[in-house]
């Protein structure tokens, strides 16, 4: 049994490692090229072989993205399953506790997370139209209008207005058209991890003397507790990073590329409130983000 369990864990680690390598193939190729340039291979980017390798890496990454999307759905489903099986006492849980501590927050949080995850995947990230002439540029790759802050995504093969990044977890770009949904998805995912950590210290637990000794409800499930802490830390860092970018009027692309950061200088002008409103809509509509998602409208600022 232990041998079988060890083999299962090893297989899972190898599977996850393979997915990471396949999804990150373009980044791995770029990192290798960067090292070669530092070693003196200045003409490496002119190689036809490198172009073919980069194209192949992008294709492999694209196909693997859908596995990542499926893994996110499975992960959310697993969290709901563990909540029901590990933390809800079906026999003697008081009705008020079941409703207020489990059913209502679980439905509220998971509905918000799944709805905004779905909208982040299916909503157009913001394709420029003929009316978008600000900046006056034409994309060299697709020939369409490319106003200020618009970039061509080689993965989606289209230009995206105020493109933030191409998200591996949604298999879609994040841009002007779907940023509110992406922001809300990250917010609800972070809220879910905080809720999971709280569940690990369920306050309704109590201990009773039985024939078998002291039996306690609400014990911390150590493995789930560690997983909750880990994901909470990761999501807290990422959600904080997103908030900082919005507060600075920047995108992920601009944060990583100094040249693009200079091009996006005009978006960093204005007050803190203006920067948040330009990404999340008018402040009078921000109450919508506290609801599962059906009330959220991307064009609420218009």
């Amino acid at each position: 049994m232990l041998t079988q369990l060890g083999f299962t864990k090893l297989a899972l680690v190898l599977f996850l490692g393979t997915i990471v390598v396949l999804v990150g193939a373009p980044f791995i190729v770029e990192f290798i090229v960067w090292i070669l340039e530092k070693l003196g291979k200045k003409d490496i980017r002119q190689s036809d072989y490198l172009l073919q390798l980069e194209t192949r890496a992008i294709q492999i990454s694209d196909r693997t993205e859908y596995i990542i999307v499926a893994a996110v759905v499975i992960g959310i489903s697993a969290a709901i399953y563990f909540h029901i099986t590990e933390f809800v006492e079906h026999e003697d849980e008081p009705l008020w506790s079941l409703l207020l501590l489990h059913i209502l927050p679980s439905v509220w949080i998971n509905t918000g997370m799944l709805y905004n995850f779905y909208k982040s995947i299916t909503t157009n990230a913001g394709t420029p139209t003929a009316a978008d002439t600000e900046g006056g540029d034409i994309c060299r790759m697709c020939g369409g209008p490319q106003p200020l802050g618009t970039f061509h995504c080689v993965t989606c093969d289209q230009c995206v207005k105020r493109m933030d990044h191409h998200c591996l977890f949604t298999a879609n770009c994040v841009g002007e058209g779907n940023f509110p949904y992406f922001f809300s998805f990250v917010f609800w995912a972070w809220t879910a991890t905080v809720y999971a950590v709280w569940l690990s210290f369920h306050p309704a637990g109590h201990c009773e003397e039985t024939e078998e000794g002291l039996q306690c409800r609400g014990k911390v499930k150590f493995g789930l507790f560690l997983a909750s802490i880990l994901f909470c830390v990761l999501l807290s860092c990422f959600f904080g990073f997103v908030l900082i970018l919005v507060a600075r009027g920047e995108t992920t692309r601009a944060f990583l590329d100094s040249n693009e950061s200079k091009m996006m200088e005009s978006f960093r002008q204005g007050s803190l409130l203006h920067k948040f409103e330009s990404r999340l809509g008018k402040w009078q509509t921000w109450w919508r983000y506290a609801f599962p998602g059906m009330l959220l409208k991307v064009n609420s600022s218009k």
Side-chain angles (χ1 to χ4, degrees):
M1 182 65 180
L2 292 177
T3 304
Q4 183 179 3
L5 183 60
F7 176 78
T8 302
K9 289 182 177 180
L10 177 61
L12 179 61
V13 170
L14 291 176
F15 174 75
L16 293 177
T18 303
I19 295 299
V20 170
V21 171
L22 293 178
V23 171
F27 303 100
I28 296 174
V29 172
E30 183 64 25
F31 180 69
I32 294 175
V33 171
W34 178 78
I35 293 178
L36 291 176
E37 286 181 330
K38 293 297 183 181
L39 294 177
K41 301 289 185 179
K42 301 297 182 181
D43 58 342
I44 185 66
R45 293 189 182 277
Q46 309 302 321
S47 170
D48 292 336
Y49 174 75
L50 176 62
L51 179 61
Q52 296 175 1
L53 183 62
E54 288 178 332
T55 302
R56 184 59 178 169
I58 291 173
Q59 292 174 345
I60 293 175
S61 180
D62 292 348
R63 294 167 183 170
T64 313
E65 280 183 344
Y66 297 99
I67 300 178
I68 300 295
V69 173
V72 172
V73 175
I74 293 173
I76 295 174
S77 302
I80 298 173
Y81 169 78
F82 282 123
H83 180 195
I84 296 173
T85 58
E86 297 293 332
F87 294 109
V88 177
E89 300 288 345
H90 298 283
E91 296 181 359
D92 56 351
E93 184 82 6
L95 181 60
W96 68 267
S97 176
L98 190 64
L99 289 174
L100 296 181
L101 301 181
H102 295 284
I103 295 178
L104 180 59
S106 181
V107 171
W108 198 271
I109 293 172
N110 288 303
T111 299
M113 184 164 48
L114 288 170
Y115 176 80
N116 287 286
F117 180 59
Y118 167 77
K119 295 296 288 185
S120 297
I121 295 173
T122 59
T123 303
N124 187 289
T127 304
T129 63
D132 296 313
T133 57
E134 181 184 357
D137 293 331
I138 299 297
C139 180
R140 293 178 298 176
M141 302 186 71
C142 66
Q146 200 171 52
L148 184 64
T150 301
F151 297 96
H152 189 94
C153 176
V154 294
T155 303
C156 296
D157 194 25
Q158 67 176 13
C159 281
V160 178
K161 296 172 63 177
R162 203 169 181 181
M163 179 178 177
D164 189 89
H165 68 287
H166 183 87
C167 182
L168 300 176
F169 295 98
T170 63
N172 192 16
C173 279
V174 177
E176 182 179 288
N178 63 352
F179 184 83
Y181 291 123
F182 176 77
F183 178 87
S184 192
F185 165 62
V186 176
F187 165 73
W188 284 111
W190 170 76
T191 304
T193 62
V194 174
Y195 178 58
V197 172
W198 177 83
L199 280 176
S200 299
F201 295 98
H202 196 297
H206 64 273
C207 297
E208 296 178 348
E209 283 288 351
T210 65
E211 296 179 356
E212 299 178 354
L214 190 65
Q215 298 293 324
C216 296
R217 279 181 44 202
K219 287 183 178 180
V220 174
K221 282 32 175 207
F222 191 66
L224 295 178
F225 170 70
L226 291 181
S228 300
I229 290 290
L230 174 62
F231 282 106
C232 186
V233 171
L234 292 175
L235 264 296
S236 295
C237 292
F238 183 66
F239 186 45
F241 174 69
V242 173
L243 286 173
I244 292 173
L245 289 182
V246 175
R248 295 176 57 177
E250 281 195 332
T251 62
T252 303
R253 287 179 60 100
F255 177 81
L256 297 175
D257 191 318
S258 58
N259 292 326
E260 290 190 11
S261 181
K262 294 176 182 178
M263 295 170 58
M264 303 285 286
E265 181 65 32
S266 62
F267 290 102
R268 292 195 290 272
Q269 305 301 318
S271 65
L272 180 64
L273 178 61
H274 170 74
K275 293 172 185 176
F276 270 89
E277 286 187 331
S278 69
R279 299 296 270 167
L280 304 177
K282 293 295 184 180
W283 68 267
Q284 294 90 339
T285 66
W286 289 356
W287 60 270
R288 299 171 186 263
Y289 288 92
F291 288 83
M294 288 63 135
L295 296 174
L296 181 61
K297 303 294 181 183
V298 167
N299 61 348
S300 59
S301 62
K302 298 182 181 179

